[in-house]
Amino acid sequence: MRLLVLGGTVFVSHAVAAAAVARGHRVTCAARGVSGSVPVGAELVRVDRDQPDGLEPLDGRTFDAVVDVESLSFTRVRRALAALGPGAGHWTYVSTSSVYADNETPGQRAGAAPLLDPAPDGADETDRGQYGPLKVACENAVRSAVGERAFVCRPGLIVGPGDWSDRFGYWPARVSLGGRFLAPGRAENEVQYVDVRDCAAWIVTAAEQGLVGTLDAMCPAVRWGDWLTDLSTAVGSAGEPVWVQQDFLVEHGVEPWMGPGSLPMWLPIPEYAGFMTRDVSESLTAGLRIRPLQDTAAASLAWERELGLDRERRSGITREREAELLRLWADRSGPATPSC
Ligand SMILES: NC(=O)c1ccc[n+]([C@@H]2O[C@H](COP(=O)([O-])OP(=O)(O)OC[C@H]3O[C@@H](n4cnc5c(N)ncnc54)[C@H](OP(=O)(O)O)[C@@H]3O)[C@@H](O)[C@H]2O)c1
């Protein structure tokens, strides 16, 4: 298969190109080539999607399949569809589970869940605050141009080697250090994500098999308590989680989900009870394969060590801040009342 990856120099698109090369496909990556390199065995064609005619270096070329990972800009997505859509046998657009309007209801399926309204033409296509609406507009552009040949893949949190967001990696990194560690909310809350290599493998399979439609890409939801236990086993640590109520975290200024000073991947319940509890049975039937946590944890920890465990993190709290919060939590809980 001749596969074009619009991107290929970082994280998701790099993993897609690498998976396709490993399966023996002829892979072309189209990017500026400034964020990193394309995988060994892939060709790089330098393009600039910011320019109206920026895809000209691909003129006259057709591909059996195209994968577009464009993050926000429906203008870029439309330009790529206009230039390459007519000659493409199959088109994958990497969207996101942030397109959904209802984050509260657990167990929703891709086909049935309501979406945010699309960003209108003229919207600021660099506004990360409008991520969901912009992605809906990108999806719509794909469907209206190549809908009968399109796979719209909606990943949840994408994790693993090459992830610069520091979200998932916080946990294997912290758990590997052992001791009592701060765990957010309740052990029975759930968590959901996808290993970048599983997401990439599925995208290549979708292109090989001509999968069409719109599906989520994430592992089945797992309880935080079980997940942290398995994570401890995977990284060979005997750490002990201390479950701290979400109200306490909010009161003490701990941010949810991401960013400096956050507890990554923690989301307030019930407001976000549906965000990481999506029903992915259709995706699993359609070829998504999820590797064991063991593998994802080991690869994420190796990536964390490469970045440096004591670096300033984009997401997560420091050991000092964690110790302070645990101390305050213990004080607030108070000693057990003696009985007589
Ligand atoms: N991370 C997550 O947890 C998550 C979750 C759900 C969905 N997603 C989606 O996954 C996708 C992420 O894709 P990604 O990891 O490959 O990262 P990305 O940061 O979106 O990079 C995409 C590629 O675009 C290229 N690029 C950037 N500007 C360009 C330009 N002006 N002209 C041509 N190429 C340009 C980059 O290469 P050069 O800079 O070298 O040109 C890079 O290879 C996004 O669509 C995101 O919405 C991510």
Side-chain angles (χ1 to χ4, degrees):
M1 175 171 74
R2 287 165 303 140
L3 176 73
L4 173 67
V5 178
L6 291 166
T9 56
V10 282
F11 198 35
V12 182
S13 52
H14 186 277
V16 172
V21 168
R23 290 195 206 174
H25 298 303
R26 281 167 50 198
V27 180
T28 301
C29 298
R32 294 165 305 173
V34 298
S35 301
S37 353
V38 301
V40 174
E43 168 199 22
L44 171 66
V45 174
R46 288 182 195 276
V47 301
D48 185 352
R49 300 182 71 176
D50 286 333
Q51 306 306 321
D53 57 356
L55 294 173
E56 255 175 20
L58 294 166
D59 276 0
R61 295 184 62 170
T62 58
F63 297 90
D64 300 306
V66 174
V67 176
D68 188 5
V69 297
E70 172 54 37
S71 200
L72 298 175
S73 166
F74 50 81
T75 299
R76 286 186 183 185
V77 168
R78 286 177 188 161
R79 277 187 199 141
L81 288 160
L84 299 157
H90 185 262
W91 195 281
T92 296
Y93 176 63
V94 178
S95 184
T96 170
S97 59
S98 297
V99 292
Y100 295 114
D102 174 0
N103 291 317
E104 199 165 340
T105 310
Q108 297 181 76
R109 289 183 300 109
L115 300 182
L116 296 168
D117 290 332
D121 278 10
D124 177 358
E125 296 182 42
T126 61
D127 181 1
R128 287 233 144 249
Q130 290 300 303
Y131 182 54
L134 287 166
K135 290 297 255 190
V136 176
C138 291
E139 286 191 3
N140 288 347
V142 171
R143 284 192 202 93
S144 68
V146 292
E148 71 296 346
R149 293 169 274 151
F151 171 43
V152 174
C153 177
R154 291 182 181 150
L157 181 68
I158 307 176
V159 312
D163 175 13
W164 289 99
S165 76
D166 288 353
R167 287 174 287 187
F168 183 94
Y170 171 85
W171 293 103
R174 174 60 193 92
V175 170
S176 74
L177 299 173
R180 286 157 53 83
F181 62 90
L182 199 162
R186 302 165 69 97
E188 59 266 34
N189 294 342
E190 291 180 298
V191 64
Q192 200 170 34
Y193 55 89
V194 65
D195 188 306
V196 64
R197 296 163 297 169
D198 294 338
C199 188
W202 191 32
I203 287 169
V204 177
T205 302
E208 289 169 343
Q209 299 179 352
L211 177 67
V212 295
T214 299
L215 290 167
D216 291 331
M218 56 203 81
C219 67
V222 54
R223 294 168 74 250
W224 266 93
D226 297 336
W227 182 65
L228 287 177
T229 301
D230 291 350
L231 205 55
S232 299
T233 309
V235 302
S237 158
E240 185 201 335
V242 178
W243 296 97
V244 175
Q245 281 174 12
Q246 67 176 32
D247 290 352
F248 176 91
L249 297 174
V250 172
E251 275 163 30
H252 289 81
V254 180
E255 294 292 329
W257 188 242
M258 67 186 290
S262 69
L263 272 176
M265 296 168 66
W266 159 56
L267 286 172
I269 304 297
E271 302 92 302
Y272 289 95
F275 195 78
M276 290 200 287
T277 55
R278 304 196 59 81
D279 176 353
V280 290
S281 46
E282 282 179 74
S283 308
L284 297 170
T285 303
L288 172 64
R289 295 289 167 266
I290 300 296
R291 72 192 58 221
L293 173 61
Q294 191 92 11
D295 187 338
T296 301
S300 297
L301 183 56
W303 171 245
E304 280 285 323
R305 286 182 171 145
E306 206 177 311
L307 297 176
L309 291 191
D310 52 7
R311 70 188 184 282
E312 203 170 304
R313 304 189 62 90
R314 292 182 178 178
S315 294
I317 54 174
T318 62
R319 294 297 303 275
E320 294 71 30
R321 173 76 168 136
E322 183 194 48
E324 181 197 11
L325 288 165
L326 287 176
R327 226 175 11 253
L328 290 167
W329 174 249
D331 289 351
R332 174 180 151 130
S333 301
T337 310
S339 52
C340 55

